[in-house]
Amino acid sequence: MSFHGPAFAGTTAIAGIGATEFSKDSGRSELRLAVEAVGAALDDAGIAPSEVDGLVTFSADTNPEIEVARSLGMGELTFFSRIHYGGGAACATILQAAMAVASGVASVVVCYRAFNERSGHRFGTGVQSGFAAPTAENAQFSWYAPFGLLTPAAWVAMFARRYMHMTGATGEDFGRVAVADRRHAATNPAAWFYRRPITLADHQESRFIVEPLRLLDCCQESDGAQALVVTSLEMARDLRHSPAVVRAAAQGSGAGQHMMTSYYSGDLLRLAEMEVVARQLWGSAGIGPADVQTAVLYDHFTPFVLYQLEELGFCPPGEAKDFVRDGNIELGGALPVNTHGGQLGEAYIHGMNGIAEAVRQVRGSAVNQVPDVEHVLVTAGTGVPTSGLVLGVDR
Amino acid sequence: MSPGTREPSLSAAATWSAPDPVNQPMIRHFVEAVGDENPVYVDAGAARSAGLPGVVAPPAMLQAWVMRGLKATQELERARAGGRGRAGTAPASAQDEVLARLDAEGFTSVVATNCEQEYFRPLVLGDHLSASSRVESVSDEKKTALGPGRFVTTLTEMFDQAGELVAVMRFRLLKFRPAAPSATTAATSAGATAGAATAGAATAGAAAAGAPARASREDLGAGMRPGPVLTRDNAFFFEGARLGKLLVQRCSSCGTLRHPPAPSCAACRSLEWDAVESCGRGVVYSFAVVHHPQVAGFEYPLVVALVELEEGTRLVADLEGVAPADVRIGMAVEVGFAPLSPEIALPVFRPSAPSRK
Ligand SMILES: [Zn+2]
């Protein structure tokens, strides 16, 4: 190809996807969920566990690579890596797997994330800094927890209030993201909210969690697992499904970055980390926003979907409210977003289920298939050091 | 904080005996409830292997052994309702008398600040405790963000059946005059009741220490907040707040201010720093109004603000003295301080007085 992007861009692919059911109480261990999803992804690709030589997950995941490998009968591993910063790791698992494959360190790398986030440890219950070890990471909670700013929803609310003040966006504009997600989930049998769409009025009537965020602005808490298999494009072409080519993948941390609380510089109207990711994605894929037919934008909280539309260049700064008002993010719109229902509608699997949806859109097998897909953009957790991905059809 | 003024007239002690000896059933209920799987609390063999004489009680159960129980507490409540210190009813504790006097001085609100325990030997099955509780000190009047108030420290000594001192406990609370009738303080709200309900151990502690039941229902809010995680890089900020100063870290080499604190200056890489006292004035840069989840120690809805100080740095702190619906970005605010414990205080902002605008 004519662009001088990273070696993995255009030479690696996602060859298999697999997931458990998405629920509120899996009734099984997190490790078992991981094993089921990794096994399903390998079956989807048509690759035996013995061929796997690399595993990548989140540092937030509780399932060590060696437990997954032993359980599935994998042999020797030559590459394993865990990525930090919560949901910001999602697309970075594919990035690091693709780098390993392109550099020859490994040939078949499975990326996975498995948790009982609803029935086990729930992120929404907040941090308990008072009992934490005095590490630099825990010490940062000192600036929030004693003041009652304890949850991801609360940290995002501080941004959202400023954004509304400066751009004129309203709570209804945030609600339009939830309505789109739930509309898409309603026709996705794998979604928790299958056949349960909401209206904007439903959104406006839902209780406040942390103003200006309402209950329906917040993603679900879910039990489940998702896995994805990364190989060379060459190898993927001989497997069961048409490859989802990794056109670009990037990680990003902004200047002045904090964990969901980058409050101390800038105007709280930008996601600096996503700007770093966007610049790399467009640069190495050699395409722009107009070349993307559908996007999976990380939606733990609706306001940051608006921020991302601006940061990724789908609309000018401050105008995402107009973009969503025109119905552009729903099926049939200019940029259908989260066609699986997103983390509000399908499940909260820390962004990994969104990558699987992008693969289905590239394969042409999504339940809410967008016509004529060439490129799909996927993003990972916002407000934290994050990552992104452009997947494309094999031409 | 000064150690407080000792008032000999306050030191009359209330004494009582534990209703039950240290026993295995209560220990088992306790360790199962808190999820402590240490076998020395339930298995004599394991305890002896650990060098103990036999099964021991978890130290955290100390207060549980000397709790008077529901019936005695209800009798005490009835006695209070019928008139404080009336002869012929259950005796009012020494602390009751002190709190009544502080009520009369106008310090009508109460918030627990902390509890310290010291153990001299492990308690074993069969130990039968008695307790003696007295007010150890009452501080001079202090200015706090909750309002002017005085810290009351109650000392409870616990003895075994042979009269040996086995443990002491110091329970400290702040009696204060609310700053304004509309003040949104954690201490006087109905919301704090829900918080105290989840703070079972601390509530029980207040009762065991002879604190009035009224206090144990109303307070314990601020005492239960998650505290800061202190490191060598950030402790100065909270120590400053205890002294009533809002400190901002400053590079000693180039003078750049920074918050949150960090070990070196991003502008010049100097590791040398000191801190300057902010004028305490700023504006609301953004804010959040927290409704859920509701955590002990806070009153909801809780307004948390991102304040931009006149010095230019920003910080997160609670905003009090204004209804959530009346908070505006750009609103002028100024700092006060609220105790979290005798060692730690937190900045808290209020709208600036109109004359300051
Ligand atoms: Zn400097």
Side-chain angles (χ1 to χ4, degrees):
Chain A
M1 59 195 282
S2 58
F3 303 102
H4 300 285
F8 64 78
T11 64
T12 56
I14 298 176
I17 56 175
T20 64
E21 82 289 0
F22 305 132
S23 75
K24 300 299 179 191
D25 185 359
S26 72
R28 330 206 265 295
S29 72
E30 295 186 332
L31 178 59
R32 176 162 166 180
L33 296 178
V35 166
E36 288 183 27
V38 170
L42 289 169
D43 291 345
D44 182 63
I47 295 176
S50 57
E51 293 180 70
V52 175
D53 53 7
L55 289 170
V56 184
T57 187
F58 295 42
S59 61
D61 201 272
T62 65
N63 307 293
E65 303 90 331
I66 56 174
E67 304 296 330
V68 172
R70 276 206 322 276
S71 298
L72 281 159
M74 294 173 184
E76 298 170 349
L77 300 178
T78 58
F79 176 69
F80 26 93
S81 143
R82 296 192 210 180
I83 300 158
H84 204 45
Y85 304 116
C91 296
T93 62
I94 305 298
L95 165 67
Q96 298 200 7
M99 288 196 297
V101 168
S103 67
V105 166
S107 57
V108 176
V109 182
V110 186
C111 306
Y112 63 92
R113 177 78 175 107
F115 56 20
N116 287 321
E117 201 278 330
R118 180 60 179 79
S119 65
H121 174 70
R122 300 172 64 181
F123 301 159
T125 52
V127 296
Q128 293 296 325
S129 66
F131 306 102
T135 63
E137 194 158 53
N138 289 336
Q140 287 303 318
F141 291 124
S142 300
W143 309 112
Y144 315 103
F147 305 99
L149 213 61
L150 292 160
T151 58
W155 301 326
V156 170
M158 196 70 86
F159 278 90
R161 175 72 67 180
R162 182 82 190 169
Y163 182 85
M164 294 168 80
H165 180 74
M166 298 300 288
T167 68
T170 65
E172 290 194 342
D173 295 324
F174 299 153
R176 288 183 173 92
V177 174
V179 169
D181 271 351
R182 291 290 292 271
R183 174 186 163 189
H184 300 161
T187 50
N188 172 11
W192 177 256
F193 285 116
Y194 178 50
R195 291 179 173 156
R196 283 183 283 174
I198 58 167
T199 64
L200 199 53
D202 293 332
H203 173 273
Q204 289 293 295
E205 285 162 17
S206 67
R207 63 185 171 133
F208 279 122
I209 300 300
V210 182
E211 286 179 67
L213 301 190
R214 297 176 183 276
L215 177 65
L216 291 177
D217 289 307
C218 306
C219 69
Q220 304 178 59
E221 297 182 290
S222 306
D223 287 8
Q226 178 75 58
L228 305 106
V229 182
V230 176
T231 67
S232 69
L233 175 58
E234 194 182 348
M235 179 173 175
R237 282 173 174 152
D238 295 331
L239 297 172
R240 285 189 181 155
H241 297 280
S242 50
V245 182
V246 178
R247 293 287 173 204
Q251 284 184 272
S253 172
Q257 182 78 52
H258 289 256
M259 274 300 281
M260 304 208 68
T261 54
S262 301
Y263 299 155
Y264 303 97
S265 58
D267 53 15
L268 272 61
L269 304 180
R270 306 299 300 268
L271 292 173
E273 66 278 357
M274 198 57 79
E275 185 186 355
V276 177
V277 168
R279 195 167 60 235
Q280 297 176 82
L281 291 182
W282 301 136
S284 70
I287 62 169
D291 302 309
V292 167
Q293 289 74 42
T294 178
V296 179
L297 302 183
Y298 197 92
D299 57 342
H300 49 4
F301 301 100
T302 58
F304 277 172
V305 173
L306 271 62
Y307 277 71
Q308 290 181 82
L309 289 167
E310 297 170 10
E311 211 61 81
L312 292 156
F314 292 109
C315 63
E319 295 184 15
K321 64 182 191 300
D322 308 303
F323 192 83
V324 299
R325 278 174 196 165
D326 295 338
N328 283 318
I329 61 171
E330 298 191 29
L331 283 169
L335 182 76
V337 168
N338 299 343
T339 49
H340 58 317
Q343 301 193 98
L344 280 82
E346 185 180 65
Y348 175 71
I349 311 294
H350 243 162
M352 295 293 268
N353 51 324
I355 305 174
E357 172 67 3
V359 171
R360 288 186 293 264
Q361 287 288 350
V362 168
R363 289 178 179 178
S365 64
V367 290
N368 294 316
Q369 183 65 43
V370 172
D372 305 321
V373 168
E374 273 209 50
H375 297 106
V376 185
L377 176 91
V378 191
T379 59
T382 43
V384 298
T386 191
S387 52
L389 195 56
V390 175
L391 298 181
V393 297
D394 186 21
R395 283 170 302 182
Chain B
M1 182 184 316
S2 73
T5 315
R6 186 161 185 130
E7 299 186 27
S9 63
L10 296 177
S11 61
T15 61
W16 68 98
S17 291
D20 298 295
V22 173
N23 64 83
Q24 186 68 75
M26 280 176 68
I27 293 174
R28 186 166 54 247
H29 286 303
F30 181 90
V31 297
E32 286 180 5
V34 303
D36 191 332
E37 296 187 351
N38 190 332
V40 302
Y41 302 139
V42 290
D43 179 342
R48 280 191 289 272
S49 304
L52 295 165
V55 165
V56 297
M61 279 189 80
L62 178 64
Q63 295 161 277
W65 301 119
V66 298
M67 286 170 69
R68 291 182 171 96
L70 180 62
K71 185 161 173 282
T73 302
Q74 285 172 332
E75 282 171 3
L76 203 59
E77 291 233 24
R78 273 193 294 275
R80 285 197 188 98
R84 208 176 271 276
R86 176 179 294 178
T89 58
S93 74
Q95 191 171 2
D96 270 356
E97 306 291 342
V98 173
L99 297 181
R101 188 193 302 176
L102 293 174
D103 278 342
E105 289 178 24
F107 302 117
T108 52
S109 293
V110 61
V111 58
T113 59
N114 77 321
C115 180
E116 297 162 9
Q117 296 182 342
E118 199 174 343
Y119 317 104
F120 302 117
R121 73 162 172 86
L123 300 182
V124 298
L125 298 182
D127 274 337
H128 203 144
L129 302 190
S130 60
S132 173
S133 181
R134 61 186 164 82
V135 173
E136 186 180 46
S137 65
V138 178
S139 77
D140 298 332
E141 184 172 326
K142 305 287 182 188
K143 283 177 101 167
T144 79
L146 295 172
R150 300 176 74 178
F151 288 90
V152 180
T153 305
T154 305
L155 173 68
T156 303
E157 295 173 309
M158 305 200 201
F159 303 91
D160 64 13
Q161 53 281 3
E164 290 279 316
L165 186 67
V166 293
V168 297
M169 177 174 80
R170 280 186 176 79
F171 185 82
R172 199 166 290 126
L173 52 78
L174 172 67
K175 285 285 288 177
F176 65 99
R177 186 184 301 131
S182 63
T184 54
T185 63
T188 54
S189 72
T193 307
T198 61
T203 307
R214 178 175 48 81
S216 59
R217 279 203 307 272
E218 281 185 3
D219 69 11
L220 295 162
M224 295 305 295
R225 282 190 181 205
V229 177
L230 298 178
T231 70
R232 289 182 174 89
D233 298 327
N234 71 16
F236 77 92
F237 178 90
F238 298 98
E239 287 162 10
R242 181 173 60 86
L243 301 171
K245 295 178 178 185
L246 181 62
L247 297 181
V248 183
Q249 198 180 30
R250 176 177 63 182
C251 172
S252 301
S253 301
C254 76
T256 301
L257 298 178
R258 59 183 189 259
H259 184 85
S264 84
C265 174
C268 77
R269 289 190 54 198
S270 171
L271 292 164
E272 303 302 316
W273 57 268
D274 58 9
V276 292
E277 184 178 355
S278 165
C279 69
R281 293 187 300 275
V283 296
V284 173
Y285 194 81
S286 191
F287 65 99
V289 183
V290 184
H291 295 264
H292 301 283
Q294 302 204 342
V295 173
F298 300 97
E299 183 192 347
Y300 295 93
L302 172 73
V303 182
V304 188
L306 176 64
V307 173
E308 188 163 88
L309 296 172
E310 285 187 8
E311 289 81 7
T313 58
R314 299 176 194 159
L315 80 160
V316 168
D318 294 344
L319 180 59
E320 294 187 343
V322 55
D326 295 333
V327 182
R328 296 285 179 272
I329 287 175
M331 172 182 268
V333 293
E334 61 186 42
V335 79
F337 298 90
L340 189 67
S341 71
E343 292 76 32
I344 302 257
L346 299 174
V348 54
F349 285 86
R350 300 182 144 270
S352 297
S355 59
R356 295 280 188 94
K357 277 182 184 167

